[in-house]
Amino acid sequence: MNPSLKLLLVILLSLELTFVTKLWINLVVIVVCLLILIHQRFHWRQFCWLAFVPLFPALAIFITIVFFSPSHSLFDGTVLFSRLYVYVCLGTVFTFTTDTLTLARSLEQNYHLPSKYAYGVLAALNLIPKMKQAVTTIYTAGQMRGVNLHWWSPTLYFKAILVAIQWS
C-alpha cells in the first residue's frame, strides 16, 4: 500500500474512533491490528512491549474515569482504556509496516511536501543511531576516567550536544 495513503488511513481511522464510543469497534480494530502484526512476523517480545508499555497510562485513564468523574461510568472507562490501545496498535502497525525513506518520498510526491523538509526528517531519523552510539562512547569514556555518568547527568547531554554540533 502507498505509505502516504496508509498514513492518511491511520489518521482518519484514529480521528473517527475518537468520536465513536463503541467498545466493540475498538476491540475489532485491536484484533485486526494484532492479526496484521502476526502476519508481519511481529516478535513475541514486541507483543509484550505493546501490551505493557501503554498499560500504566491506560489504567490511569480508566481509574480517573471510573472513580473520579461525576458519572462514575465503567463503560466510559473501558472505552477510553481500549481507545488508548487502539491508538498504540494503529501506530505500531503503521510504524512496523512502513519504511521511512519510502514514506518521505511518497509524502513528497503525493502531498507535495517540500523536499528539504522530507530529507531533513530522514536526516534526523538516520542520526538517532549515531547519537545513541555517541552517548555510549561518552559514557564509556567517562567510566575510563573514573567519572560515573548517569542518564540524568547534564554532563552527558552537554557532551552529546557538542558532538552533534561538531557533526553539523
Side-chain angles (χ1 to χ4, degrees):
M1 184 176 194
N2 188 347
S4 57
L5 291 177
K6 192 187 312 183
L7 177 63
L8 183 65
L9 177 69
V10 167
I11 291 171
L12 288 176
L13 190 59
S14 298
L15 187 64
E16 176 70 27
L17 290 173
T18 300
F19 299 109
V20 175
T21 57
K22 304 269 187 211
L23 181 61
W24 67 272
I25 293 176
N26 290 347
L27 296 177
V28 166
V29 171
I30 290 170
V31 168
V32 168
C33 287
L34 292 178
L35 289 175
I36 291 171
L37 290 173
I38 288 171
H39 184 274
Q40 294 291 327
R41 307 212 187 281
F42 204 61
H43 199 265
W44 68 272
R45 287 185 188 145
Q46 293 170 318
F47 276 116
C48 291
W49 276 103
L50 184 66
F52 292 118
V53 169
L55 184 63
F56 182 71
L59 282 175
I61 290 171
F62 178 78
I63 289 170
T64 301
I65 295 299
V66 172
F67 294 116
F68 301 110
S69 71
S71 64
H72 297 289
S73 175
L74 182 65
F75 177 74
D76 289 341
T78 309
V79 167
L80 290 176
F81 181 90
S82 65
R83 189 177 293 163
L84 182 73
Y85 273 99
V86 165
Y87 296 148
V88 169
C89 287
L90 284 173
T92 303
V93 166
F94 178 76
T95 304
F96 195 72
T97 61
T98 306
D99 180 41
T100 55
L101 178 63
T102 311
L103 175 64
R105 287 181 178 165
S106 176
L107 288 172
E108 182 183 3
Q109 291 173 357
N110 296 338
Y111 296 124
H112 307 292
L113 186 73
S115 59
K116 290 180 181 179
Y117 182 76
Y119 289 109
V121 170
L122 283 176
L125 290 174
N126 290 329
L127 190 66
I128 291 172
K130 289 185 177 187
M131 282 305 295
K132 286 182 180 178
Q133 181 62 37
V135 168
T136 304
T137 303
I138 293 167
Y139 178 76
T140 305
Q143 283 185 330
M144 292 175 73
R145 292 186 183 104
V147 178
N148 195 5
L149 298 173
H150 299 284
W151 64 270
W152 63 81
S153 175
T155 306
L156 180 67
Y157 294 111
F158 179 73
K159 290 182 179 191
I161 289 171
L162 290 178
V163 169
I165 290 172
Q166 181 184 6
W167 287 340
S168 68

